[in-house]
Amino acid sequence: RKEVEQDPGPFNVPEGATVAFNCTYSNSASQSFFWYRQDCRKEPKLLMSVYSSGNEDGRFTAQLNRASQYISLLIRDSKLSDSATYLCVVAPPYQKVTFGTGTKLQVIP
Amino acid sequence: ETGVTQTPRHLVMGMTNKKSLKCEQHLGHNAMYWYKQSAKKPLELMFVYNFKEQTENNSVPSRFSPECPNSSHLFLHLHTLQPEDSALYLCASSQATTTLNQETQYFGPGTRLLVL
């Protein structure tokens, strides 16, 4: 099993739609989780951290499921500007951070 | 905008050349990282420096040589590279704590490298 696994997509969704991505991880000791966003030919930028209790930032909601070892990202009311690749990042304590390959989202007018 | 700058932004080099990539962070961080991003692959961590000390070398070939003269600057010296080393090289920085990997990383814009 890969350390961090994401569906590469692409997810093609119409504007206004709700879309969700999952990311599974293999190391049950992992403590820190993040979602980064990477636009085409640009650097990754932090979208949000993922807390045990889940967290919400506007149209974005991140959840952690420790039992099943996955994190999720939900985007409501998709905008054209949400089109990007979303990278899942998992960090076991005192070990190197691992990035997923990313899930590509394309929001269509 | 990003607080982490990288130069050059694009680089084309032959296999016998020697070049260096430069990264500078203006965020007051103490940890700096080099990553390699190839098409359709996840970001690969190459090196980590924490308070100028190298704490991670992720089995990177010796043709890549990092240098961290201070907490704000990080270099990646390149020599006798191979075409398969063509990729986007990203620098990142974060606050350094005892749980180093828990900190948010801030990335530079990257150097797009092509080895001919």
Side-chain angles (χ1 to χ4, degrees), chain A residues 2-24:
Chain A
K2 289 183 182 178
E3 290 182 74
V4 178
E5 202 153 1
Q6 293 184 255
D7 182 341
F11 284 60
N12 297 313
V13 302
E15 266 188 293
T18 296
V19 62
F21 314 131
N22 282 344
C23 167
T24 58

Side-chain angles (χ1 to χ4, degrees), chain A residues 32 36 38 41 43 94-95, chain B residues 37 98 101-102 105 108:
Chain A
S32 295
Y36 277 74
Q38 186 171 24
R41 303 186 75 81
E43 72 274 21
Y94 302 101
Q95 295 182 43
Chain B
Q37 188 174 36
T98 54
N101 294 315
Q102 318 302 319
Q105 295 182 27

Side-chain angles (χ1 to χ4, degrees), chain A residues 21 25 29 45 58:
Chain A
F21 314 131
Y25 59 94
K45 291 185 179 179

Side-chain angles (χ1 to χ4, degrees), chain A:
Chain A
R1 184 179 180 182
K2 289 183 182 178
E3 290 182 74
V4 178
E5 202 153 1
Q6 293 184 255
D7 182 341
F11 284 60
N12 297 313
V13 302
E15 266 188 293
T18 296
V19 62
F21 314 131
N22 282 344
C23 167
T24 58
Y25 59 94
S26 60
N27 188 335
S28 59
S30 299
Q31 296 286 343
S32 295
F33 307 89
F34 306 89
W35 283 104
Y36 277 74
R37 170 195 170 130
Q38 186 171 24
D39 292 289
C40 187
R41 303 186 75 81
K42 295 284 185 77
E43 72 274 21
K45 291 185 179 179
L46 179 70
L47 179 65
M48 57 200 309
S49 303
V50 187
Y51 305 123
S52 296
S53 55
N55 50 310
E56 188 173 316
D57 183 3
R59 298 180 294 108
F60 298 84
T61 301
Q63 297 279 354
L64 167 63
N65 186 318
R66 285 196 184 276
S68 301
Q69 293 182 210
Y70 73 87
I71 64 172
S72 63
L73 178 68
L74 180 79
I75 305 175
R76 289 181 296 278
D77 188 23
S78 299
K79 312 288 185 193
L80 295 176
S81 56
D82 294 334
S83 298
T85 296
Y86 291 84
L87 304 173
C88 165
V89 181
V90 176
Y94 302 101
Q95 295 182 43
K96 65 182 178 72
V97 166
T98 303
F99 282 75
T101 51
T103 296
K104 186 171 182 180
L105 172 66
Q106 185 68 48
V107 181
I108 305 164

